[in-house]
Amino acid sequence: MATFSPDDPVNHPSAVSKMMRSVVNLLGNHNFETSKTWTLLGPARYESETQMLGERCVCFDSGSTGAAAQFSQAVDIVPGKAYTLSFYAKACGEMKIRAIMEYHDAAGVRQTVESPLLCDGPLYEYERWFHTFTLPHGSLKEVTFSIRANGETGVRSRAWVDCAQLEE
């Protein structure tokens, strides 16, 4: 972190921190500004009233049915490397949110890996959630990453997700 001197020359750096590593987001349209790259399933939709940054976010609205909703994106990654899927979310009602990785193993069989429960219940301000996945060696490199939410039957539940990121 830089600190600046009030003496002449004004705003001249007096201390500078080490360079931080840069992060490359492997997801396209990570802030949901367009309808491209993401597949929405169930009661999921784009919304422009409660976004964290930018113009839109994804809203999961299970009503009181407890219906599951998700959005997904296919990405090519390297088997054996760890990748972290992160996002910001807030919720009302009893909304449960998980991160999911789907891939085909060396035998061509579709496999699904779910994170532990990341968000459970009301959360009135956006918070960052994340889970790290490792694609097994020998798997096909195309992977589908999803964020899935479902409410509790009988409880009106909604969640909003923004700023999704996939990084090495």
Side-chain angles (χ1 to χ4, degrees):
M1 179 164 103
T3 58
F4 297 93
S5 167
D7 302 324
D8 283 329
V10 176
N11 289 335
H12 184 69
S14 59
V16 179
S17 67
K18 294 180 182 177
M19 177 67 100
M20 303 296 285
R21 81 174 176 94
S22 63
V23 173
V24 176
N25 190 349
L26 302 174
L27 297 174
N29 187 30
H30 64 278
N31 56 358
F32 314 109
E33 298 303 300
T34 70
S35 299
K36 297 177 182 177
T37 68
W38 292 101
T39 301
L40 278 64
L41 299 171
R45 68 177 185 277
Y46 295 108
E47 187 173 283
S48 59
E49 296 172 11
T50 55
Q51 69 277 9
M52 183 177 149
L53 292 173
E55 299 294 321
R56 301 191 320 176
C57 64
V58 172
C59 176
F60 299 122
D61 188 352
S62 70
S64 57
T65 67
Q70 76 179 37
F71 60 95
S72 307
Q73 187 175 135
V75 180
D76 287 349
I77 63 173
V78 178
K81 278 190 162 184
Y83 292 85
T84 300
L85 177 64
S86 65
F87 55 92
Y88 284 84
K90 68 179 187 174
C92 64
E94 296 298 321
M95 192 61 87
K96 296 168 178 29
I97 302 175
R98 283 181 162 67
I100 299 165
M101 177 179 78
E102 295 176 290
Y103 66 95
H104 287 90
D105 64 17
V109 177
R110 187 164 191 82
Q111 303 291 333
T112 301
V113 178
E114 290 191 6
S115 71
L117 196 58
L118 298 176
C119 175
D120 182 14
L123 180 66
Y124 300 109
E125 300 293 326
Y126 275 105
E127 284 189 26
R128 183 175 180 262
W129 300 93
F130 65 93
H131 186 73
T132 300
F133 296 95
T134 301
L135 182 63
H137 288 285
S139 300
L140 300 179
K141 66 180 181 175
E142 185 179 85
V143 174
T144 299
F145 285 96
S146 305
I147 297 171
R148 181 180 299 152
N150 64 290
E152 185 175 313
T153 302
V155 178
R156 176 132 176 100
S157 302
R158 293 172 115 188
W160 296 267
V161 174
D162 207 351
C163 306
Q165 180 170 299
L166 180 66
E167 65 181 276
E168 286 184 27

